[in-house]
Amino acid sequence: MSETISSTAALYPAAADKLKFRGLLFAVAIALLILPKLFSSGGSLTTFSLVGISIIFSMSYNMLLGQTGMLSFGHAVYYGIGGFLAIHAINIIGTNKLPIPLPVVPLIGGLTGLLFAVVLGWVSTRRSGTAFAMISLGVAELVASSALVLRTFFGGDSGISANRTRLFRVFDWSFGPQIQIYYLVAAWMLIAVIAMYALTRTPLGRMCNAVRDNPERVQFVGYDPHVVRYLAFCFSGFFAGIAGALAATCFEIANSAYLGAVQSGTVLFATYIGGVGFFIGPIVGAVFVTLLSLGLSDLTAVWQLYFGLIFIAVVVFAPGGITGLLMMHRPLLKAGTLGRVLPSYFIAFVPTAAMLTGFIVAIEVTVHYAVNAGDDSHIKAFGVSFDAASRYIWAMSAVLLIGGFLVARRTWTRVRQAWDDASGAAREQGIPA
């Protein structure tokens, strides 16, 4: 009788998790359908498409870093190769008038990424840790340099272009309007997210986590960690190829930038900032990094510097990423003690914002004198115009930075005390915080 009760208790949480995931998936699908109705401009649709592509790419990278514990500096190889093959496929299909619609082309990019992962992965995944990271970096530089030499395939500096409207039409869709490309990216994003989530629930997904945590114990129970890493690497290359094919289809061009170190660095930033320890972490990071890059590039000329600083801040102060910070508050929300922390957050916000403002002004004026010393001292950053040569600007920056830091330190102490109080109350209710 007790065995029946325990098995039933174990069954219901699994069923509840499945129902919760399906409900969330249905809500996301409805939101993706409604989103173009609320934001119908071409720029908004392009941004949404970029976010969807970045989500697929980041989640494919998380299969390496978050799921299997493999840090790669060359994941853009499979993204870029998938994009180039997709462009060539569009040209071949359009020239020969083959009855292959555009929605199938991302699958070609995915299979290309899978093929290259199969070829390159067996040697790359023989080692993990630093050795694997260095091998991935070497492979990335080799492929990136080849893109400038093999001009027939990669097109040199100008890349390869195509016309996606020449392909076989489905439901009379030419995929010329941006809204049709948006729905194409959204559909493939849903398919990829479902597939990668299902993969994490398989024995292979569990063994990937085991290899990440303790490869010696995996070998002890009869599994080869090299084979597990290799299979994860192949699946990751497949989904990265899909993301690259969607990017090439969206912009109708593939160039050497698809294979560069910037692309690999961006997906690393998005995945880690979002939170590698959580399934939705790469999704949060992809949305954050894509929107932030598009917004910062219009506000300041040194937006990449801010990206680096944000990444360093996350590594030092929030290793769990944005998702980790949010999930820390989940026990407090369940226990009803979150209200004890929120007032201290609001109090700490003002001096922290003042400190960051002073830090940003200091960066802008310093960069101006380091790079554009002979130009006009009047600059504009984040929509605000000021004179970089003014002593008042320098004094204001110093006051905000130093004064804000000194005051913020006191408020952060209060935040820590409030957090300990709320966590202790949660533990008294039997909720681990």
Side-chain angles (χ1 to χ4, degrees):
M1 182 68 178
S2 61
E3 293 180 357
T4 304
I5 294 174
S6 61
S7 62
T8 304
L11 177 63
Y12 281 120
D17 290 341
K18 290 181 180 179
L19 184 62
K20 185 185 299 184
F21 176 75
R22 290 173 182 173
L24 180 62
L25 190 65
F26 179 75
V28 171
I30 296 298
L32 291 175
L33 290 173
I34 297 177
L35 206 56
K37 307 297 182 182
L38 303 177
F39 306 94
S40 58
S41 65
S44 299
L45 295 175
T46 302
T47 301
F48 296 149
S49 300
L50 288 174
V51 170
I53 295 168
S54 181
I55 287 175
I56 300 175
F57 192 28
S58 299
M59 294 192 69
S60 72
Y61 185 78
N62 195 51
M63 295 179 68
L64 294 180
L65 181 59
Q67 299 294 325
T68 321
M70 294 189 291
L71 174 63
S72 174
F73 291 129
H75 202 54
V77 169
Y78 313 97
Y79 176 90
I81 290 294
F84 275 102
L85 258 293
I87 288 295
H88 284 294
I90 292 174
N91 288 329
I92 294 172
I93 294 170
T95 302
N96 297 280
K97 297 182 179 180
L98 301 176
I100 301 177
L102 188 67
V104 180
V105 172
L107 184 60
I108 298 175
L111 293 175
T112 304
L114 174 62
L115 176 62
F116 273 78
V118 168
V119 173
L120 301 174
W122 185 255
V123 176
S124 301
T125 57
R126 290 187 67 88
R127 301 288 299 275
S128 60
T130 305
F132 172 79
M134 294 299 100
I135 292 173
S136 67
L137 179 60
V139 171
E141 291 301 321
L142 176 64
V143 175
S145 60
S146 300
L148 301 176
V149 177
L150 305 176
R151 295 180 176 271
T152 303
F153 181 80
F154 293 104
D157 294 329
S158 58
I160 304 293
S161 59
N163 184 359
R164 62 177 182 249
T165 61
R166 297 173 58 190
L167 270 64
F168 179 77
R169 296 191 177 189
V170 179
F171 303 117
D172 200 33
W173 277 27
S174 65
F175 291 99
Q178 189 62 36
I179 189 171
Q180 296 179 4
I181 292 297
Y182 161 79
Y183 283 122
L184 174 64
V185 172
W188 269 106
M189 184 194 72
L190 279 178
I191 294 172
V193 169
I194 293 172
M196 283 185 270
Y197 177 79
L199 187 61
T200 62
R201 316 302 290 182
T202 61
L204 174 61
R206 301 301 188 187
M207 292 310 301
C208 288
N209 298 153
V211 168
R212 175 197 62 195
D213 298 332
N214 197 330
E216 289 81 9
R217 181 169 293 183
V218 170
Q219 193 170 11
F220 178 77
V221 298
Y223 289 90
D224 188 353
H226 175 213
V227 174
V228 175
R229 289 194 296 264
Y230 177 62
L231 292 176
F233 189 86
C234 292
F235 279 110
S236 178
F238 172 73
F239 289 108
I242 290 178
L246 287 171
T249 302
C250 181
F251 297 105
E252 297 181 298
I253 191 173
N255 52 39
S256 58
Y258 281 44
L259 303 162
V262 174
Q263 199 72 49
S264 295
T266 301
V267 71
L268 171 60
F269 280 17
T271 306
Y272 199 93
I273 290 174
V276 295
F278 305 91
F279 179 78
I280 65 170
I283 299 177
V284 175
V287 175
F288 176 80
V289 168
T290 303
L291 296 180
L292 190 65
S293 61
L294 294 175
L296 279 179
S297 59
D298 294 333
L299 296 176
T300 175
V302 292
W303 60 275
Q304 292 178 323
L305 174 61
Y306 290 103
F307 257 105
L309 294 174
I310 291 173
F311 181 74
I312 293 173
V314 170
V315 171
V316 175
F317 299 108
I322 298 175
T323 307
L325 289 175
L326 296 176
M327 294 301 291
M328 285 173 57
H329 295 79
R330 187 178 181 183
L332 305 186
L333 185 62
K334 285 185 177 181
T337 60
L338 184 61
R340 303 184 185 184
V341 183
L342 293 180
S344 59
Y345 281 170
F346 290 121
I347 294 174
F349 174 77
V350 176
T352 303
M355 180 189 68
L356 293 177
T357 301
F359 184 63
I360 291 173
V361 174
I363 289 177
E364 294 294 335
V365 295
T366 303
V367 169
H368 171 77
Y369 276 104
V371 180
N372 305 314
D375 296 343
D376 185 13
S377 61
H378 292 82
I379 60 176
K380 184 176 182 179
F382 295 91
V384 179
S385 299
F386 55 89
D387 186 3
S390 174
R391 295 179 180 179
Y392 297 104
I393 295 296
W394 287 88
M396 181 192 70
S397 173
V399 169
L400 289 175
L401 179 59
I402 299 174
F405 174 74
L406 295 176
V407 177
R409 285 190 63 181
R410 296 180 176 274
T411 60
W412 295 337
T413 302
R414 182 171 180 175
V415 169
R416 189 179 301 110
Q417 294 173 351
W419 180 268
D420 292 339
D421 179 50
S423 300
R427 282 191 294 267
E428 291 177 357
Q429 300 180 30
I431 301 175

